[in-house]
Amino acid sequence: MSATHILVVDDEPDIRTSIQEILEDEGYVVVVAENGEAARHALRERRPDLILLDIWMPDRDGISLLKEWGEDEDLPCPVIMMSGHGTVETAVEATRLGAYDYLEKPLSMAKLLLTIERALQAERLQRENVGLKRRTPLVLEPIGRSAAILRLREQVKRIAQHDTWVLITGEAGSGRETLARYLHAQSPRRERPFVDLSVSGIARGNAAYELFGSETGDHVHYGSLEQAAGGTLLLDEVADMDLEAQGQLLGALDTGSFLRVGGTEPVRVEVRIIAVTQRNLEEEVRAGRFREDLFYHLNVVPLHVPPLREHSEDVPELLNFYVDFFTNHEKLPYRRFSVGAQNFLRNYGWPGNIRELKNLVQRVLILGAGDEVTQNEVETALGSPQPTPTQPLEGMVSFDQPLRSARELFEKAYLEYQLEKHAANVSKMAKEAGMERTHLYRKLRSLGIEIKERR
């Protein structure tokens, strides 16, 4: 695992050496550059985690470099400006161009170290916020106390201490990304980047650009492998990667280096790979859609996330978690799920797994009313098919009989249907039928309908 990489750009040798020695004593890996051209070369060799940039240099000033690096996209990393002859206008301009902070020379080393620490922390928080906005909510660990989830968490804690590649399988929405993030958080790489690359979202032919980045003149675009340097790269739906990209990825990870698109110098990379898929990769290999050698590399440590229907005892805890989340983070009204609703949801099939459960909670909090979420409400929200008569009216009631007899047969069929629909809840039946409860009880008895048998 690589340490935090800092690039120091300053034309004064004494300052460069002093900063380098102090930062290396703090455990950072430091590369120095004496001017703008050397800084460009250092950026081509490797993406730094932070840049300390002097403003006044003989060949190209720091403000111009800052403009150049942020011209087509965001700055490659946090940049802290340094100057012994700065003005307020210069500091404002540097901040406008994206610099994290501005320090005056002579440098206070205590302030420098604190500013570096805060800049790196702000960068980590920004990456986490991007994840939160893209996939809300970002669950910190697999939720549940079932035997399956407890066993899975223990497996992940053991695996996290080793730098092996990991293959996570499971159905869509089952919590595979949550497990990958939990693994990263339990590992020694937890302070380094976690980069999520959605393979299925890459346009055909663009995989090399997304993975390895590109070079065009002095401009460098850093791909996902460099963004995740020293940390973890999650390849989401890895089975969607085309064969050419699979071969390029395998070559890069075998040799520990790669060429950016348009580049000529190899770039070293050290990263942990977690691959996620809902497909059977062995079947994909047999069908010729996935490289066998890459499969064996990825399958060093396989983990399987069970579908929610296989650990349905965790449903109540998941419901409580998402109610709390949406209440606290989206200011939705708090509502509790009734015992009947929870029991119904424990026995529901959950084809969309945890993602479907999360969406259900959000829906009933937005659209529902009252303190309690009822079983009927969740059935409606899920679009569960309601019981319907198995025969048309003509098949249930003969028209060749007295009206009174036909009416009794119809009433019995109607109330049987309502009893089934509302799971023998007489209050709900009475409300829908427009009858008083006492009158409804008498009618059920007179028609020979036994309520207890339906409970």
Side-chain angles (χ1 to χ4, degrees):
M1 183 186 67
S2 58
T4 300
H5 178 86
I6 296 178
L7 172 62
V8 179
V9 186
D10 199 299
D11 65 325
E12 297 183 55
D14 290 346
I15 291 180
R16 287 198 310 272
T17 302
S18 175
I19 293 176
Q20 182 177 20
E21 290 175 351
I22 290 170
L23 293 183
E24 287 178 343
D25 286 343
E26 293 294 321
Y28 297 110
V29 173
V30 183
V31 172
V32 296
E34 68 275 13
N35 54 40
E37 184 57 37
R40 289 195 193 99
H41 181 73
L43 283 172
R44 281 194 297 272
E45 284 193 337
R46 177 178 175 176
R47 174 186 176 272
D49 296 301
L50 182 139
I51 300 173
L52 294 172
L53 179 60
D54 188 24
I55 289 182
W56 304 113
M57 293 182 291
D59 66 332
R60 192 165 179 83
D61 65 90
I63 295 294
S64 297
L65 282 174
L66 199 62
K67 288 179 181 177
E68 177 186 308
W69 293 337
E71 187 175 5
D72 297 325
E73 53 188 54
D74 293 337
L75 291 169
C77 63
V79 178
I80 298 172
M81 308 299 291
M82 306 179 296
S83 176
H85 310 283
T87 63
V88 173
E89 290 79 9
T90 306
V92 170
E93 176 69 359
T95 304
R96 186 185 69 80
L97 292 170
Y100 174 78
D101 207 343
Y102 179 95
L103 300 178
E104 292 185 357
K105 294 178 181 178
L107 296 172
S108 160
M109 288 305 161
K111 185 175 182 180
L112 174 65
L113 292 173
L114 181 61
T115 305
I116 289 172
E117 183 180 335
R118 286 176 175 172
L120 293 170
Q121 178 64 22
E123 177 75 357
R124 282 194 292 270
L125 289 173
Q126 185 178 5
R127 285 197 303 266
E128 290 175 5
N129 286 336
V130 169
L132 277 167
K133 289 175 182 176
R134 187 175 56 79
R135 288 189 185 179
T136 305
L138 186 60
V139 185
L140 298 179
E141 64 178 59
I143 296 168
R145 283 174 270 188
S146 63
I149 295 302
L150 290 175
R151 184 167 57 250
L152 196 58
R153 280 204 294 262
E154 286 306 311
Q155 284 180 314
V156 168
K157 287 178 182 178
R158 290 197 300 271
I159 293 167
Q161 306 312 310
H162 306 280
D163 264 344
T164 53
W165 297 14
V166 178
L167 176 64
I168 300 178
T169 59
E171 296 178 7
S174 58
R176 297 166 302 169
E177 185 193 353
T178 295
L179 194 69
R181 290 182 178 275
Y182 182 59
L183 193 155
H184 174 74
Q186 297 296 313
S187 76
R189 297 175 180 267
R190 66 180 67 90
E191 298 299 325
R192 305 293 291 141
F194 179 95
V195 175
D196 178 359
L197 177 62
S198 176
V199 176
S200 59
I202 301 175
R204 191 163 189 83
N206 278 4
Y209 177 83
E210 295 291 341
L211 281 168
F212 309 124
S214 64
E215 292 182 29
T216 308
D218 291 327
H219 179 71
V220 178
H221 163 73
Y222 298 103
S224 297
L225 278 169
E226 279 187 274
Q227 293 175 34
T232 302
L233 174 62
L234 172 64
L235 297 175
D236 195 2
E237 295 303 342
V238 69
D240 291 335
M241 186 178 289
D242 62 63
L243 288 169
E244 182 183 0
Q246 292 175 31
Q248 293 172 323
L249 175 64
L250 182 63
L253 298 175
D254 270 344
T255 62
S257 65
F258 59 87
L259 289 177
R260 300 189 191 100
V261 176
T264 57
E265 296 294 325
V267 179
R268 299 292 302 174
V269 67
E270 192 279 317
V271 65
R272 180 181 203 155
I273 299 292
I274 300 178
V276 168
T277 183
Q278 57 182 303
R279 297 193 212 166
N280 186 323
L281 284 190
E282 292 184 64
E283 291 181 2
E284 295 294 305
V285 169
R286 286 193 291 270
R289 293 187 293 265
F290 202 84
R291 291 179 61 116
E292 186 175 24
D293 45 6
L294 181 57
F295 167 67
Y296 287 124
H297 269 74
L298 294 175
N299 202 39
V300 174
V301 181
L303 286 171
H304 180 70
V305 183
L308 183 53
R309 62 183 173 273
E310 293 182 7
H311 60 105
S312 58
E313 59 267 47
D314 293 323
V315 165
E317 188 173 347
L318 284 161
L319 292 171
N320 289 335
F321 171 84
Y322 284 110
V323 166
D324 289 341
F325 178 87
F326 288 120
T327 300
N328 294 328
H329 294 274
E330 297 194 7
K331 308 306 178 187
L332 294 179
Y334 178 85
R335 305 182 70 205
R336 64 182 180 274
F337 281 77
S338 69
V339 174
Q342 292 186 48
N343 187 56
F344 173 83
L345 293 173
R346 283 189 61 169
N347 291 286
Y348 177 66
W350 296 113
N353 290 297
I354 294 174
R355 186 182 299 144
E356 183 182 9
L357 182 145
K358 180 200 80 171
N359 292 341
L360 168 71
V361 172
Q362 188 176 25
R363 190 181 308 133
V364 298
L365 294 185
I366 292 173
L367 300 177
D371 294 335
E372 189 173 77
V373 181
T374 65
Q375 178 179 338
N376 190 49
E377 187 178 350
V378 297
E379 289 185 49
T380 302
L382 288 168
S384 302
Q386 298 292 349
T388 56
T390 57
Q391 307 173 48
L393 183 61
E394 294 89 338
M396 292 188 298
V397 180
S398 171
F399 295 161
D400 297 320
Q401 60 179 317
L403 177 60
R404 181 174 179 177
S405 301
R407 185 172 62 232
E408 285 183 356
L409 285 172
F410 169 77
E411 287 179 340
K412 183 171 183 180
Y414 173 82
L415 293 174
E416 289 269 10
Y417 166 71
Q418 293 294 340
L419 198 64
E420 187 73 19
K421 177 181 178 180
H422 295 293
N425 187 314
V426 177
S427 297
K428 291 180 181 178
M429 285 178 62
K431 183 177 180 181
E432 183 159 335
M435 301 171 67
E436 293 291 335
R437 285 182 61 184
T438 53
H439 179 51
L440 178 58
Y441 274 116
R442 285 198 300 269
K443 176 62 72 173
L444 290 170
R445 282 196 297 270
S446 70
L447 294 172
I449 299 173
E450 178 59 56
I451 300 175
K452 292 180 180 179
E453 294 176 359
R454 307 302 180 92
R455 292 188 180 275

